[in-house]
Amino acid sequence: MTDSFKTILVTGAGSGIGRATARAFLAQGWRVALLGRRRERLEEAAAGDARALILTADVGDADQVEAAFAAVKAAWGRLDVLFNNAGQSAPSAPIDEIPVAEWLAVNSANITGMFLCARAAFGIMRHQSPQGGRIINNGSISAHVPRPGSVPYTMSKHAVTGLTRTLGLDGRAFNIACGQIDIGNALTDMAAKFTQGVPQANGEVRVEPVMDVAHVADAVLHMAGLPLDVNVPFMTIMARDMPYIGRG
């Protein structure tokens, strides 16, 4: 049964997984705060829905994140779910060829951004009445099995797993659940390269299977809809035949 008073904030909501997820929650009657850097993309994703709240912010900027979450609290009085989704990758390269600026940019989004948004959401959820909520972090299959030349991205996603495990423990005292969804080959603009061929661990370049991003949105909906005394700590969703189970 849809609860029209449920609220969720989706980071990176202007494209890809974030966009698909924000739209799925709007379709189910949730109030959805769409956060991203480009207002025009967020407005396109929201498609004029009256239950959407547009928030422009860089997740790596502490002041902008605090202002965005304060706007959610001012508008709705509470936050039930955070889909901590925003992130970025970097071009594949050996570690000694990766510019330090690229490393820092990935960290800003994938580690600092995840921390700042989780911190802000946790603070709201801890002090609201009724107390509690749910944080869902977007991890990656790279947190388990890296792709060649992916040091910044893979390291950052290991950090996300650490955040998920710690919040899953720390949140218990405040009725806050935390889980992670690790996604493999959902067809977004970022993943379109898989259909053209990408490097494999054995040195070959191969086309990889992909899946509809709507399946990811449905999975996040399922996680978000559970009662707070139930949690999915980690979920992996992937194109069945992608080279994950046996990369090498």
Side-chain angles (χ1 to χ4, degrees):
M1 181 175 178
T2 298
D3 183 350
S4 61
F5 297 101
K6 286 286 189 179
T7 60
I8 182 171
L9 188 152
V10 179
T11 66
S15 61
I17 290 166
R19 178 180 181 272
T21 303
R23 286 189 159 184
F25 275 84
L26 285 170
Q28 291 297 312
W30 287 57
R31 296 175 184 173
V32 180
L34 296 90
L35 186 149
R37 290 178 296 176
R38 300 173 182 85
R39 173 170 288 273
E40 65 278 5
R41 290 194 178 183
L42 299 172
E43 290 176 343
E44 188 276 332
D49 196 305
R51 292 161 301 179
L53 178 64
I54 305 299
L55 303 169
T56 54
D58 180 341
V59 295
D61 186 297
D63 291 339
Q64 292 182 32
V65 168
E66 286 296 325
F69 278 79
V72 171
K73 188 173 181 181
W76 296 332
R78 66 179 292 106
L79 178 63
D80 296 298
V81 179
L82 165 67
F83 182 34
N84 211 3
N85 165 71
Q88 69 179 68
S89 61
S92 176
I95 189 170
D96 59 319
E97 296 179 12
I98 297 170
V100 173
E102 234 167 56
W103 157 255
L104 294 173
V106 170
N107 278 349
S108 178
N110 296 9
I111 300 180
T112 300
M114 285 274 184
F115 168 84
L116 291 174
C117 292
R119 179 178 181 272
F122 197 100
I124 292 174
M125 293 169 180
R126 177 181 177 180
H127 295 106
Q128 65 192 4
S129 182
Q131 187 184 60
R134 187 181 303 275
I135 296 170
I136 301 171
N137 294 324
N138 187 347
S140 172
I141 283 177
S142 289
H144 310 282
V145 182
R147 288 185 177 279
S150 66
V151 165
Y153 185 77
T154 295
M155 287 182 68
S156 72
K157 292 304 184 178
H158 275 264
V160 173
T161 298
L163 174 67
T164 300
R165 291 187 182 277
T166 308
L167 293 186
L169 180 62
D170 293 352
R172 291 176 179 178
F174 309 108
N175 203 29
I176 298 170
C178 185
Q180 179 170 316
I181 184 165
D182 296 326
I183 303 160
N185 290 21
L187 185 54
T188 63
D189 290 344
M190 185 183 294
K193 61 187 177 183
F194 298 142
T195 65
Q196 304 300 316
V198 288
Q200 305 295 311
N202 64 1
E204 295 180 2
V205 174
R206 289 187 194 167
V207 170
E208 293 189 11
V210 294
M211 65 177 175
D212 193 319
V213 71
H215 298 308
V216 177
D218 288 343
V220 177
L221 269 167
H222 171 71
M223 295 171 76
L226 294 170
L228 288 177
D229 61 350
V230 179
N231 190 35
V232 177
F234 294 93
M235 175 190 288
T236 299
I237 183 168
M238 55 179 273
R240 187 198 64 201
D241 295 337
M242 69 171 291
Y244 163 57
I245 299 301
R247 279 188 188 169

